[in-house]
Amino acid sequence: MTRSTEGTAPHRNVQLVIAALTERGADPASVAGLRVLPDAVATAAAAAAALGVEVGQIANSLVFDADGAPLLVLTSGAHRVDTAKVAALVGAQRVRRASAEFVYAATGQRIGGVAPVGHPAPLRALVDRALEGYPQVWAAGGIPHAVFPTTFAELVAVTGGEPAEVA
C-alpha cells in the first residue's frame, strides 16, 4: 500500500476497507494495491487522471435514498445513473441522490471517498455492467485520497451486489 505520509497508520476508514475486502475474500492484489494518493481524487475524472486510466474504469460508489433506505450504486465514471431505471430495478417508488449527512450515516464515509465496502452495515448494492468491459477498475478506499484496483466480478462478490444496467 502506498501512503502519502510515511510512518503513519492509514486512516481508520482505509483500515475498515482493507479489513472488509480481506474478510469478504477479495484478491490479495486488490488489498495490496490500495493506494493513498498525495491529492484527493473526489471525482471520476480526477481519479482517472491520477491513475492514468480511462474514466470508465473508475467505479463510483454513489449512495442513493431509495424510499428512505440507502442504496449503493457502483457505476462507471463514464456515465450518469438513471434514477428512474434504478427505482424500477429495486422496486422503489423514488430513488434520489442522498444528502451528505445520509451518505455519512449509512457508510461512515464522506462523499468523494465512499468505498464499496467498509460501512457499519452492508448496503444493498447494484454494480454497473459497464464496468464488466474493463479487466481492471478502480474504486475509492474510504477517503478521497485512497483508491484500490479491483474487477467487476470482485465488486459483485465483495458487495453482494446485483449486476445491473444503471445508466
Side-chain angles (χ1 to χ4, degrees):
M1 172 177 58
T2 303
R3 286 187 271 166
S4 60
T5 307
E6 291 303 315
T8 62
H11 188 281
R12 179 179 182 280
N13 286 356
V14 173
Q15 293 174 359
L16 291 170
V17 169
I18 290 169
L21 288 170
T22 303
E23 181 179 292
R24 295 175 185 192
D27 184 326
S30 293
V31 178
L34 190 141
R35 300 181 195 172
V36 177
L37 304 170
D39 296 311
V41 289
T43 66
L51 296 166
V53 300
E54 293 178 43
V55 73
Q57 288 178 263
I58 303 303
N60 284 329
S61 297
L62 304 175
V63 177
F64 290 87
D65 177 338
D67 294 340
L71 173 68
L72 177 65
V73 179
L74 299 163
T75 187
S76 167
H79 58 249
R80 298 180 63 89
V81 172
D82 179 333
T83 56
K85 182 184 266 188
V86 168
L89 286 169
V90 300
Q93 294 209 352
R94 182 176 180 194
V95 170
R96 60 188 170 110
R97 187 70 76 119
S99 70
E101 296 80 16
F102 187 95
V103 172
Y104 185 74
T107 67
Q109 301 164 0
R110 301 283 181 203
I111 291 174
V114 175
V117 296
H119 314 137
L123 301 178
R124 182 172 185 187
L126 298 178
V127 183
D128 188 355
R129 287 194 176 277
L131 295 168
E132 199 169 16
Y134 299 97
Q136 182 181 64
V137 297
W138 289 83
I143 60 172
H145 290 69
V147 293
F148 68 94
T150 187
T151 64
F152 169 80
E154 186 170 76
L155 283 174
V156 170
V158 299
T159 63
E162 304 168 45
E165 303 287 338
V166 299

